[in-house]
Amino acid sequence: MHSPHFAHPSLWVPSVTRTSLGGAEEEFNMEKLRLVEQEKVKVKTEFDRKNKQVEIKKRIDFSNEVRDAEDTEQNKQSNTQRNANSRKLTQTCLHLRKPFCSSPHAARAQVNASRLKVLQEREQVVQKVKDAVMQQLIAS
């Protein structure tokens, strides 16, 4: 018993039901919009996080490349400096006519031995000062 002048079947439903359906549809659309917005925020946050990770990785890689280049340059310079120092030590030892200074290693060993002697003498001085202060503390 429907009238031929109604074009849409939803209009066959009584008006009270149409309003409640309209409210439910509106509520559904609002909830759908809220969920879509929430997912947009999640996607943007994830994108920003990944983007930041990529930027940090780029910085680390660049830093490593710079460090490697600096290390290579420093190694070249230190090798050159070590070679020059070895030649100087050998020349000094040869000049002093020390028999065990025939090689750069022997020259370094001689220098290290003299450094060790100086450090041991310093250690003795520090120990004497320490003992004197300890005696003063005990006496007072």
Side-chain angles (χ1 to χ4, degrees):
M1 302 230 331
H2 65 85
S3 302
H5 66 312
F6 290 125
H8 196 273
S10 66
L11 298 177
W12 298 339
V13 180
S15 63
V16 174
T17 310
R18 266 186 288 177
T19 8
S20 63
L21 283 177
E25 187 176 335
E26 183 180 337
E27 187 178 329
F28 171 77
N29 287 335
M30 288 176 57
E31 181 65 16
K32 185 170 72 171
L33 180 64
R34 186 186 67 77
L35 291 173
V36 167
E37 290 299 320
Q38 187 178 12
E39 287 303 311
K40 281 183 183 178
V41 169
K42 283 182 184 178
V43 168
K44 183 173 179 352
T45 303
E46 183 67 16
F47 175 79
D48 290 344
R49 187 180 69 79
K50 297 265 185 180
N51 199 21
K52 187 174 183 178
Q53 285 178 342
V54 168
E55 288 298 317
I56 289 172
K57 181 160 180 16
K58 284 180 184 178
R59 288 180 184 170
I60 289 171
D61 291 344
F62 179 75
S63 175
N64 288 340
E65 288 174 12
V66 169
R67 188 192 67 226
D68 290 345
E70 288 172 350
D71 287 348
T72 302
E73 185 61 31
Q74 286 175 353
N75 284 341
K76 287 179 185 176
Q77 290 174 357
S78 65
N79 285 340
T80 304
Q81 186 65 35
R82 270 194 298 257
N83 291 338
N85 288 343
S86 292
R87 282 191 299 275
K88 285 180 187 176
L89 285 173
T90 302
Q91 289 170 356
T92 302
C93 290
L94 290 174
H95 175 72
L96 295 173
R97 304 209 186 273
K98 302 281 182 181
F100 58 90
C101 288
S102 59
S103 74
H105 298 292
R108 278 192 224 117
Q110 182 183 6
V111 170
N112 287 341
S114 63
R115 287 179 182 164
L116 183 60
K117 185 176 180 181
V118 168
L119 290 173
Q120 287 171 341
E121 289 171 358
R122 285 183 185 171
E123 174 81 21
Q124 289 172 355
V125 170
V126 168
Q127 189 63 39
K128 287 178 184 176
V129 170
K130 183 180 161 186
D131 290 342
V133 169
M134 194 64 107
Q135 286 177 358
Q136 287 178 354
L137 286 173
I138 291 173
S140 59

